[in-house]
Amino acid sequence: MQIVGIICAVSSSLNVGKASPMVHIGACIGAIMGQGGSKKFRLTWNWLQVFKNDRDRRDLITCGSAAGMAAAFRAPVGGVLFALEEMASWWRSALLWRAFFTTAIGAIVLRALIDACLRGDCGLFGKGGLIMYDVTSANISYHLRDVPPVILLAVIGGILGSIYNHLLNKILRIYKLVNEKGIAYKVILACCISISTSCLLFGLPWIASCRPCPSNTSEPCPTIGRSGNYKKFQCPPGHYNDLASLFFNTNDDAIKNLFSKGTDTEFHHSSMLIFFATCFLLGAFSCGIVAPAGLFVPVIVIGAAYGRLVGMYVGFATNLNHGLFALLGSAALLGGSMRMAVSLCVIILELTDNLLLLPLIMLVLLISKTVGDVFDKNIYDIIMNIKGFPYLEAYAEPYMRQLTVCDVVTGPLQIFRGIEKVGNIVHVLKTTGHNGFPVVDGPLLSSSPVLFGLVLRAHLITLLKKKSFLRTPTPLGSDASLQFSADDFAKKGLGNGDQIEDIKLSVEELEMFVDLHPFTNTSPYTVVETMSLAKALILFREVGLRHLLVIPNVSGGIPVVGILTRHDFMPKHILNLHPQLLQSRWRRLRFKLPRLR
Amino acid sequence: MQIVGIICAVSSSLNVGKASPMVHIGACIGAIMGQGGSKKFRLTWNWLQVFKNDRDRRDLITCGSAAGMAAAFRAPVGGVLFALEEMASWWRSALLWRAFFTTAIGAIVLRALIDACLRGDCGLFGKGGLIMYDVTSANISYHLRDVPPVILLAVIGGILGSIYNHLLNKILRIYKLVNEKGIAYKVILACCISISTSCLLFGLPWIASCRPCPSNTSEPCPTIGRSGNYKKFQCPPGHYNDLASLFFNTNDDAIKNLFSKGTDTEFHHSSMLIFFATCFLLGAFSCGIVAPAGLFVPVIVIGAAYGRLVGMYVGFATNLNHGLFALLGSAALLGGSMRMAVSLCVIILELTDNLLLLPLIMLVLLISKTVGDVFDKNIYDIIMNIKGFPYLEAYAEPYMRQLTVCDVVTGPLQIFRGIEKVGNIVHVLKTTGHNGFPVVDGPLLSSSPVLFGLVLRAHLITLLKKKSFLRTPTPLGSDASLQFSADDFAKKGLGNGDQIEDIKLSVEELEMFVDLHPFTNTSPYTVVETMSLAKALILFREVGLRHLLVIPNVSGGIPVVGILTRHDFMPKHILNLHPQLLQSRWRRLRFKLPRLR
């Protein structure tokens, strides 16, 4: 789906990238492997069963995204870092190694394919090496006096990046309203964007004037084939239209043109300004339509145009050529928009193979990320926010320090006893949507009930499906492991899990008992009810939990007060419960200050 | 200290590296900043006070090591990754950004200094650019048939790497015994190693025969200056001694020679074999003497020699030159010894600036790390083990799943009440060495005592020092914050903390009371006593804790069972308590299997 979609979208000259869809494809492959193959397409492997648990599935998805990024930009190390910096909310040393393994294999296969293509004939695929936008100049030299223009470039880049994010935020919110109305609206929206893109691309080059071909060029001018620096468009022979050269190329070729050195006089600055403005708007408007669309490549193009512009106006004072300015401009806009420093640095390094520029690129990324962070959040947080995913922030909001976990626990708590009636379980599963239930031993009303553990909804459903019930409430003993294999409790694929409604039980069975002890996680993570919410959030994030049991502070009574899930930590939920926090000093500190600037 | 030491050690041609001492220097600077400057040398800054806490100090040390690594190899991104992969036992997204910031500034300053040196005159410092061992060939091409020799190289490299680790382990254990006898033994040991190194370096070149100078060389032959590829040694004019060329250079120059292309015929394979064996032994014996010694550069030299050897024997089948074999050999030995994949990959990339080789380097690192992991642990774990640092492994040992936290809690637990007698506090602080004490409210013997929090030893000592005691056991209220400022409780530097023995209290004062409530951490992390030890370890590691309170499963009674610290999770401590685990199936699974292979 995605693959077909992205080929269509990129080839229809929409201003979209291929990186993010590649990341998505990679993550999807990872998720499918985590589900043990896809039952729908009859692709199942038995050895994939070992991955059927939460942790491995998450790791596989992370590795998949790393591989996708690595494949999109031919940047294996950058892909690993991208996955870690942006995708993984939870990090382990082993994950780094696994992601590296994935992308390394990817890089080796890619290299082998390039090798095979160079020898044989793969048609157009044969072109292109490992490095996509090669800017290796024999000898790049820059001095201290080149630094101020670069800092200026970075600061404006950071501001532009956050303006881009802001624009994208507004546009995506409008698109969301449109898209929610139905599939027809989605298609109409996509068509509108596509048609207006085409109109702009073919209409704008008429504005630019024709320029005479340079005499000392290695390329034919005007260009004869499909891709080249000197498009003829409507010009007389011996002339070329510089705006058409930019618009009528693929994004990749445009980037290559913009990054290349020795082309300082090739483009007129009015053309570059038009190109920059068009790409900026098209990039923002093209994202969020129904077609799979990337963010990375458009931002690189916009940044390159912006960098060239800056180079044209202030470049005379430096000895950096305009191609390098374009490269630094891309870095600045990426930093200002995506806000990932390390992975962007490595990706740019791997894209351009220019280690000598590393200090300048690092400087630009540092400044543009810092400037961007003053204004708004990064682009991924914005999109995630619009889509409404319950993504936990790495940081606790300041007002969370004022609250204890007790303040956010809501709803009636459902508790199971160690040996529970079947009818009771069915009733609770049908009436609530919870995914985890605490199991308590001993009579509930006496003074010493004991917390035994946490049982998952999926496991309860498996138990009910197997129907190995007890007639009397007696402990099952150790023969439970004989009746069930580990495979029965393996994590089901998304949407493949059984529903409680599908299980039919007789009246007699409902009166029987089931021993939950062997199927309970006896070591759930717990917090005391007086624990600060901010610290509970850290525990939740760092250990990567799904359920967190809240136990009471005082002895006696029921040994569990509530269960926290990811939703309970979302700022929206907390502020609903405690609206007075919106006006409190803590919140103002965080939300008002940036607006003052 | 370190800086002087490493200059002496490297210049005395011991086979040691400069990377690890640089990392140490960086980490020390970080630690000093974390302590708010050094009181001893009258270097204190007030703005450094904000860093006076555990988390920031840890981050500063990590950033310092990253900067050290970056400076040693001029590899800023590699430095960041090294710090994350090897140094940080605890990782946050913000840490990545901070480490990047540090190394970026470092890279920019370094670049500026290089720039300044190239224009002015800094003597010998002016040489050398950002890339230390530049192997950029115009056009490296390799094909699928070059892969089998590379795989062979990587497998043997992994085996050699773990042999090196094993040898180092044995030697360090012997050295430790010698060094423990006193400072005189330390110096004698260092002298012995130094003298025997010198003897070997000057003696061995006599074995090698003289070789005639090649006719088509750009360098003068024999070499006239200090560094060069063709050392004359004892040879007649027009000849050179290849072994002397390797031995009589600095490590850096030797690596440059070995990595350079077009030198396939320069070295004889017997010379290379002697060089490899000598470096292997000297590298292992030079580490662990009293001088600060690095591991990185010797391993690169050994690896380069090893790679050249492999290149000489199997290189005829490929079209890779011997310089590339040397580079891949270094990668293989580094992977086999250090076992860090991603950061080594980036460091090698930044050292050599050869992006096209990336797939091969990744392949080599993958294989050599995997092969090495079969045999033993990585070199840093071995050293840490010998030094006896309580470093927590990222993984729980399998037998930990069999235990609950209750099984490892030892010793009598000291509990303070919310309002405690001064004499009692002094007694407990003097008789125990604990650093954290649970604070419990309400009468201890009634049925409902409440866990209030955890108070730290350092904070108790500060309280005692201020002597703001109460005559009667009444709560202090909110005026506590007026008496104390946050600075009083700021983390003291190592060795600067007050000792309980230094505080003199009168008999009258000992009978008074102190209200601990305002000074208690009310949100300590807790686990229930039935929690599996393995899961508690994960919590401990991921959140980065120092104390973990163990609370009882059953209601009633004292609301805290014990405190877990890092030492309680060490395998040694656990196996002391439960010797039967040594013989159990779980332990055998992990420790016996590798020996079978």
Side-chain angles (χ1 to χ4, degrees), chain B residues 198-216:
Chain B
S198 299
C199 290
L200 274 177
L201 293 193
F202 285 92
L204 283 174
W206 291 101
I207 302 173
S209 55
C210 292
R211 293 163 68 83
C213 282
S215 51
N216 51 351

PDB file of all heavy atoms in Angstrom, chain B residues 198-216:
ATOM      1  N   SER B 198      61.740  -0.688  25.581  1.00  0.00           N
ATOM      2  CA  SER B 198      62.805  -0.035  24.818  1.00  0.00           C
ATOM      3  C   SER B 198      63.745  -1.056  24.205  1.00  0.00           C
ATOM      4  O   SER B 198      64.128  -0.960  23.038  1.00  0.00           O
ATOM      5  CB  SER B 198      63.593   0.914  25.723  1.00  0.00           C
ATOM      6  OG  SER B 198      62.740   1.904  26.225  1.00  0.00           O
ATOM      7  N   CYS B 199      64.117  -2.079  25.000  1.00  0.00           N
ATOM      8  CA  CYS B 199      65.019  -3.111  24.490  1.00  0.00           C
ATOM      9  C   CYS B 199      64.419  -3.781  23.267  1.00  0.00           C
ATOM     10  O   CYS B 199      65.079  -3.966  22.242  1.00  0.00           O
ATOM     11  CB  CYS B 199      65.280  -4.166  25.563  1.00  0.00           C
ATOM     12  SG  CYS B 199      66.268  -3.541  26.905  1.00  0.00           S
ATOM     13  N   LEU B 200      63.142  -4.133  23.378  1.00  0.00           N
ATOM     14  CA  LEU B 200      62.492  -4.812  22.263  1.00  0.00           C
ATOM     15  C   LEU B 200      62.488  -3.922  21.024  1.00  0.00           C
ATOM     16  O   LEU B 200      62.805  -4.371  19.917  1.00  0.00           O
ATOM     17  CB  LEU B 200      61.054  -5.163  22.634  1.00  0.00           C
ATOM     18  CG  LEU B 200      60.837  -6.483  23.363  1.00  0.00           C
ATOM     19  CD1 LEU B 200      59.379  -6.650  23.723  1.00  0.00           C
ATOM     20  CD2 LEU B 200      61.298  -7.631  22.481  1.00  0.00           C
ATOM     21  N   LEU B 201      62.121  -2.656  21.236  1.00  0.00           N
ATOM     22  CA  LEU B 201      61.971  -1.762  20.089  1.00  0.00           C
ATOM     23  C   LEU B 201      63.297  -1.551  19.373  1.00  0.00           C
ATOM     24  O   LEU B 201      63.345  -1.467  18.157  1.00  0.00           O
ATOM     25  CB  LEU B 201      61.405  -0.409  20.534  1.00  0.00           C
ATOM     26  CG  LEU B 201      59.985  -0.404  21.055  1.00  0.00           C
ATOM     27  CD1 LEU B 201      59.469   1.021  21.145  1.00  0.00           C
ATOM     28  CD2 LEU B 201      59.073  -1.203  20.163  1.00  0.00           C
ATOM     29  N   PHE B 202      64.406  -1.471  20.157  1.00  0.00           N
ATOM     30  CA  PHE B 202      65.684  -1.243  19.498  1.00  0.00           C
ATOM     31  C   PHE B 202      66.346  -2.536  19.060  1.00  0.00           C
ATOM     32  O   PHE B 202      67.166  -2.543  18.166  1.00  0.00           O
ATOM     33  CB  PHE B 202      66.620  -0.444  20.411  1.00  0.00           C
ATOM     34  CG  PHE B 202      66.256   0.990  20.495  1.00  0.00           C
ATOM     35  CD1 PHE B 202      65.408   1.460  21.475  1.00  0.00           C
ATOM     36  CD2 PHE B 202      66.720   1.879  19.526  1.00  0.00           C
ATOM     37  CE1 PHE B 202      65.053   2.788  21.518  1.00  0.00           C
ATOM     38  CE2 PHE B 202      66.364   3.211  19.569  1.00  0.00           C
ATOM     39  CZ  PHE B 202      65.522   3.669  20.564  1.00  0.00           C
ATOM     40  N   GLY B 203      65.989  -3.626  19.725  1.00  0.00           N
ATOM     41  CA  GLY B 203      66.632  -4.898  19.393  1.00  0.00           C
ATOM     42  C   GLY B 203      66.030  -5.576  18.185  1.00  0.00           C
ATOM     43  O   GLY B 203      66.741  -6.080  17.321  1.00  0.00           O
ATOM     44  N   LEU B 204      64.696  -5.553  18.105  1.00  0.00           N
ATOM     45  CA  LEU B 204      64.045  -6.347  17.076  1.00  0.00           C
ATOM     46  C   LEU B 204      64.367  -5.923  15.643  1.00  0.00           C
ATOM     47  O   LEU B 204      64.487  -6.788  14.774  1.00  0.00           O
ATOM     48  CB  LEU B 204      62.523  -6.336  17.295  1.00  0.00           C
ATOM     49  CG  LEU B 204      62.058  -7.255  18.427  1.00  0.00           C
ATOM     50  CD1 LEU B 204      60.575  -7.083  18.669  1.00  0.00           C
ATOM     51  CD2 LEU B 204      62.370  -8.698  18.095  1.00  0.00           C
ATOM     52  N   PRO B 205      64.513  -4.618  15.364  1.00  0.00           N
ATOM     53  CA  PRO B 205      64.805  -4.253  13.967  1.00  0.00           C
ATOM     54  C   PRO B 205      66.082  -4.892  13.423  1.00  0.00           C
ATOM     55  O   PRO B 205      66.242  -5.000  12.208  1.00  0.00           O
ATOM     56  CB  PRO B 205      64.919  -2.724  14.014  1.00  0.00           C
ATOM     57  CG  PRO B 205      64.047  -2.336  15.137  1.00  0.00           C
ATOM     58  CD  PRO B 205      64.223  -3.418  16.152  1.00  0.00           C
ATOM     59  N   TRP B 206      67.003  -5.335  14.285  1.00  0.00           N
ATOM     60  CA  TRP B 206      68.213  -6.005  13.788  1.00  0.00           C
ATOM     61  C   TRP B 206      67.866  -7.298  13.079  1.00  0.00           C
ATOM     62  O   TRP B 206      68.598  -7.756  12.205  1.00  0.00           O
ATOM     63  CB  TRP B 206      69.189  -6.308  14.934  1.00  0.00           C
ATOM     64  CG  TRP B 206      69.806  -5.071  15.510  1.00  0.00           C
ATOM     65  CD1 TRP B 206      69.454  -4.440  16.649  1.00  0.00           C
ATOM     66  CD2 TRP B 206      70.879  -4.319  14.940  1.00  0.00           C
ATOM     67  NE1 TRP B 206      70.226  -3.338  16.851  1.00  0.00           N
ATOM     68  CE2 TRP B 206      71.123  -3.232  15.810  1.00  0.00           C
ATOM     69  CE3 TRP B 206      71.664  -4.452  13.791  1.00  0.00           C
ATOM     70  CZ2 TRP B 206      72.107  -2.290  15.560  1.00  0.00           C
ATOM     71  CZ3 TRP B 206      72.640  -3.516  13.546  1.00  0.00           C
ATOM     72  CH2 TRP B 206      72.862  -2.445  14.423  1.00  0.00           C
ATOM     73  N   ILE B 207      66.750  -7.918  13.469  1.00  0.00           N
ATOM     74  CA  ILE B 207      66.366  -9.181  12.836  1.00  0.00           C
ATOM     75  C   ILE B 207      66.004  -8.971  11.377  1.00  0.00           C
ATOM     76  O   ILE B 207      66.350  -9.767  10.507  1.00  0.00           O
ATOM     77  CB  ILE B 207      65.153  -9.800  13.580  1.00  0.00           C
ATOM     78  CG1 ILE B 207      65.504 -10.020  15.047  1.00  0.00           C
ATOM     79  CG2 ILE B 207      64.730 -11.098  12.930  1.00  0.00           C
ATOM     80  CD1 ILE B 207      64.310 -10.463  15.867  1.00  0.00           C
ATOM     81  N   ALA B 208      65.270  -7.880  11.120  1.00  0.00           N
ATOM     82  CA  ALA B 208      64.779  -7.644   9.768  1.00  0.00           C
ATOM     83  C   ALA B 208      65.933  -7.334   8.832  1.00  0.00           C
ATOM     84  O   ALA B 208      66.891  -6.676   9.207  1.00  0.00           O
ATOM     85  CB  ALA B 208      63.779  -6.489   9.771  1.00  0.00           C
ATOM     86  N   SER B 209      65.826  -7.820   7.616  1.00  0.00           N
ATOM     87  CA  SER B 209      66.875  -7.553   6.638  1.00  0.00           C
ATOM     88  C   SER B 209      66.615  -6.211   5.971  1.00  0.00           C
ATOM     89  O   SER B 209      65.503  -5.690   5.986  1.00  0.00           O
ATOM     90  CB  SER B 209      66.881  -8.656   5.581  1.00  0.00           C
ATOM     91  OG  SER B 209      65.593  -8.747   5.022  1.00  0.00           O
ATOM     92  N   CYS B 210      67.689  -5.656   5.401  1.00  0.00           N
ATOM     93  CA  CYS B 210      67.525  -4.379   4.713  1.00  0.00           C
ATOM     94  C   CYS B 210      66.871  -4.600   3.364  1.00  0.00           C
ATOM     95  O   CYS B 210      67.097  -5.620   2.710  1.00  0.00           O
ATOM     96  CB  CYS B 210      68.897  -3.738   4.497  1.00  0.00           C
ATOM     97  SG  CYS B 210      69.624  -3.222   6.049  1.00  0.00           S
ATOM     98  N   ARG B 211      66.052  -3.635   2.977  1.00  0.00           N
ATOM     99  CA  ARG B 211      65.358  -3.736   1.696  1.00  0.00           C
ATOM    100  C   ARG B 211      65.754  -2.545   0.845  1.00  0.00           C
ATOM    101  O   ARG B 211      65.895  -1.434   1.339  1.00  0.00           O
ATOM    102  CB  ARG B 211      63.850  -3.738   1.901  1.00  0.00           C
ATOM    103  CG  ARG B 211      63.346  -4.976   2.610  1.00  0.00           C
ATOM    104  CD  ARG B 211      61.956  -4.761   3.155  1.00  0.00           C
ATOM    105  NE  ARG B 211      60.961  -4.623   2.118  1.00  0.00           N
ATOM    106  CZ  ARG B 211      60.387  -5.654   1.509  1.00  0.00           C
ATOM    107  NH1 ARG B 211      60.711  -6.888   1.838  1.00  0.00           N
ATOM    108  NH2 ARG B 211      59.483  -5.470   0.571  1.00  0.00           N
ATOM    109  N   PRO B 212      65.942  -2.773  -0.453  1.00  0.00           N
ATOM    110  CA  PRO B 212      66.308  -1.638  -1.317  1.00  0.00           C
ATOM    111  C   PRO B 212      65.147  -0.659  -1.436  1.00  0.00           C
ATOM    112  O   PRO B 212      63.982  -1.041  -1.400  1.00  0.00           O
ATOM    113  CB  PRO B 212      66.608  -2.306  -2.661  1.00  0.00           C
ATOM    114  CG  PRO B 212      65.866  -3.594  -2.619  1.00  0.00           C
ATOM    115  CD  PRO B 212      65.832  -4.028  -1.187  1.00  0.00           C
ATOM    116  N   CYS B 213      65.509   0.621  -1.552  1.00  0.00           N
ATOM    117  CA  CYS B 213      64.468   1.632  -1.687  1.00  0.00           C
ATOM    118  C   CYS B 213      63.747   1.474  -3.016  1.00  0.00           C
ATOM    119  O   CYS B 213      64.370   1.151  -4.026  1.00  0.00           O
ATOM    120  CB  CYS B 213      65.100   3.033  -1.650  1.00  0.00           C
ATOM    121  SG  CYS B 213      65.502   3.550   0.000  1.00  0.00           S
ATOM    122  N   PRO B 214      62.435   1.674  -3.011  1.00  0.00           N
ATOM    123  CA  PRO B 214      61.725   1.661  -4.297  1.00  0.00           C
ATOM    124  C   PRO B 214      62.126   2.875  -5.111  1.00  0.00           C
ATOM    125  O   PRO B 214      62.481   3.923  -4.576  1.00  0.00           O
ATOM    126  CB  PRO B 214      60.252   1.716  -3.882  1.00  0.00           C
ATOM    127  CG  PRO B 214      60.260   2.325  -2.537  1.00  0.00           C
ATOM    128  CD  PRO B 214      61.540   1.948  -1.886  1.00  0.00           C
ATOM    129  N   SER B 215      62.091   2.704  -6.415  1.00  0.00           N
ATOM    130  CA  SER B 215      62.572   3.793  -7.266  1.00  0.00           C
ATOM    131  C   SER B 215      61.526   4.897  -7.411  1.00  0.00           C
ATOM    132  O   SER B 215      61.847   6.082  -7.417  1.00  0.00           O
ATOM    133  CB  SER B 215      62.939   3.235  -8.645  1.00  0.00           C
ATOM    134  OG  SER B 215      61.849   2.476  -9.135  1.00  0.00           O
ATOM    135  N   ASN B 216      60.258   4.503  -7.491  1.00  0.00           N
ATOM    136  CA  ASN B 216      59.230   5.508  -7.761  1.00  0.00           C
ATOM    137  C   ASN B 216      58.498   5.930  -6.469  1.00  0.00           C
ATOM    138  O   ASN B 216      57.375   5.525  -6.228  1.00  0.00           O
ATOM    139  CB  ASN B 216      58.214   4.960  -8.775  1.00  0.00           C
ATOM    140  CG  ASN B 216      57.707   3.596  -8.338  1.00  0.00           C
ATOM    141  OD1 ASN B 216      58.235   3.014  -7.392  1.00  0.00           O
ATOM    142  ND2 ASN B 216      56.680   3.111  -8.994  1.00  0.00           N
TER     143      ASN B 216
END
